[in-house]
Amino acid sequence: MSFVIRRPFALTSTIKQLPRSISNPLRALHTTPKASTKPNFEPASPITTFAKARNAFGKTLASPRSYTNPAIPTSTGTLAQRLLYGAAIVGGTVVATNAIFNRETRDDGGMAPYERNFLNDTFMHTGLGVGMIGVAAQALHRSGWSFRLMSMNPWVVIGVGLVGSIGSMMATRATDPENYVQKYALWSTFNLAQAAILSPLMFLQPALLARAGLYTVAMMGSIAFVGATAKQEKYLYLGGPLLAGVAIVAVSGFAPLVLPATAARTLMWTERVWLYGGLAVFGGFTLYDTQKILQHARLAERGLVKRDVVNESISLELDFLNIFIRMVQILGMQRSNRR
């Protein structure tokens, strides 16, 4: 299923004005007052002496030698510590997910070599497709395509995006895997269509996109590990419920274009359904697609279907993109709440 890109992903730039320079109020320091011609025979009083001492003490405090509290440096940890921390999170996620959702592992001797090769080739094509989308989105963003896309009518963007994505996806799936040139050409067209829709994400900070990508890889890797080591066809029954869930998520994504702005509470709940419900649905699709890939590997080994890793990688690419978009929005919301 294709996804919907909305305007909240575009970041509007703000210009901060610098404060105006203030002129120095101390002028004519070189001039000295005229000396009084009237002789002063009054003795120095103790009050005047105390006032002079107080002024001298104040100047001493205002001098550069005065004591200031030094800033305490905050240690953020070395790069190795942060990498170990991230690796511990990813590893803990994999172990916890496997312990919760995959208590019964395969009892048929493990994964067969042809299943392993088929799954590895599928994930390799998935990585190539995601990399192609990222490079193409960056190139389109530098060419000014993102500005033109954001100025278009949202309905036009949705219509053209759905036609381009679904059309190229269906054409790729319908092409015979033995026709390599046409197959990979249509697959590249599908990836370029996704890049054209995702190019406005390049307005965001690269650090935020990198974190969202890391979290997406950790989530999909842990769920795919569960699906690969589970019993055969254990999670294939999730196809129907997941299809119903993705329909609800898609309808909630169209809510901001249909509902009026006065329905704030309804829009808030549809936003949550689209964000967190979509995260759960496409996480389930990752589990379902992993087991479906292994099933197709067994059918291809028997000669019942043709071996086609490109078609299998398209499903995982869509899962990755939908999870990645929601990760970006969640991290963006957390950063805005901290300010």
Side-chain angles (χ1 to χ4, degrees):
M1 296 294 293
S2 299
F3 45 86
V4 181
I5 302 299
R6 292 174 294 172
R7 286 185 176 271
F9 288 109
L11 297 179
T12 56
S13 59
T14 57
I15 303 176
K16 296 182 180 181
Q17 297 181 354
L18 297 175
R20 298 180 179 178
S21 59
I22 303 175
S23 58
N24 189 2
L26 302 178
R27 294 175 297 180
L29 295 177
H30 61 280
T31 59
T32 56
K34 296 181 179 180
S36 177
T37 56
K38 183 178 179 181
N40 188 7
F41 299 101
E42 297 179 359
S45 62
I47 299 178
T48 306
T49 306
F50 178 76
K52 290 181 179 180
R54 184 180 59 183
N55 293 336
F57 181 73
K59 291 180 181 180
T60 304
L61 290 179
S63 63
R65 295 183 179 180
S66 60
Y67 175 78
T68 57
N69 294 326
I72 301 176
T74 58
S75 60
T76 57
T78 61
L79 179 60
Q81 293 177 352
R82 285 179 287 181
L83 290 177
L84 290 176
Y85 181 72
I89 292 178
V90 175
T93 304
V94 173
V95 173
T97 307
N98 185 41
I100 295 174
F101 297 101
N102 196 18
R103 297 177 183 176
E104 299 178 355
T105 56
R106 298 180 60 171
D107 53 359
D108 54 356
M111 188 182 301
Y114 61 88
E115 291 180 348
R116 185 180 297 106
N117 294 333
F118 193 89
L119 190 63
N120 291 337
D121 292 343
T122 302
F123 274 100
M124 183 187 68
H125 280 76
T126 303
L128 291 175
V130 172
M132 188 184 303
I133 292 172
V135 173
Q138 181 67 21
L140 290 173
H141 179 71
R142 291 182 177 180
S143 65
W145 165 255
S146 300
F147 297 94
R148 295 192 294 270
L149 182 65
M150 299 304 297
S151 62
M152 294 181 184
N153 190 343
W155 289 104
V156 175
V157 175
I158 293 174
V160 175
L162 289 177
V163 170
S165 300
I166 297 178
S168 58
M169 180 180 63
M170 298 302 295
T172 304
R173 290 183 179 275
T175 304
D176 191 273
E178 295 180 357
N179 191 357
Y180 295 103
V181 177
Q182 182 178 351
K183 186 79 172 180
Y184 282 92
L186 292 173
W187 181 57
S188 302
T189 304
F190 168 76
N191 292 329
L192 291 177
Q194 307 308 311
I197 300 176
L198 290 174
S199 60
L201 289 178
M202 297 301 168
F203 284 113
L204 302 177
Q205 296 181 359
L208 189 144
L209 298 178
R211 287 180 59 193
L214 179 62
Y215 295 161
T216 304
V217 170
M219 179 177 176
M220 288 193 64
S222 60
I223 296 175
F225 177 78
V226 172
T229 56
K231 288 185 177 181
Q232 295 182 3
E233 303 179 1
K234 180 179 180 180
Y235 296 107
L236 291 181
Y237 72 94
L238 295 175
L242 289 174
L243 186 60
V246 79
I248 296 175
V249 171
V251 172
S252 64
F254 283 99
L257 301 176
V258 179
L259 297 178
T262 55
R265 187 178 296 273
T266 305
L267 291 174
M268 179 185 66
W269 281 106
T270 56
E271 177 74 14
R272 292 179 179 178
V273 170
W274 184 88
L275 186 59
Y276 300 103
L279 199 63
V281 166
F282 287 102
F285 264 115
T286 304
L287 182 63
Y288 170 78
D289 291 335
T290 302
Q291 290 228 312
K292 187 182 66 174
I293 291 169
L294 295 176
Q295 183 191 31
H296 290 173
R298 292 188 293 269
L299 295 177
E301 182 67 18
R302 299 172 188 172
L304 300 178
V305 296
K306 292 185 178 181
R307 189 177 188 274
D308 194 351
V309 295
V310 175
N311 287 354
E312 306 297 340
S313 65
I314 290 178
S315 301
L316 292 178
E317 283 184 42
L318 292 177
D319 297 338
F320 182 90
L321 294 178
N322 280 279
I323 295 174
F324 174 75
I325 290 172
R326 286 161 176 82
M327 286 292 183
V328 169
Q329 188 168 355
I330 291 173
L331 293 177
M333 293 168 57
Q334 291 179 354
R335 177 168 295 184
S336 62
N337 292 335
R338 292 175 183 174
R339 295 178 181 178

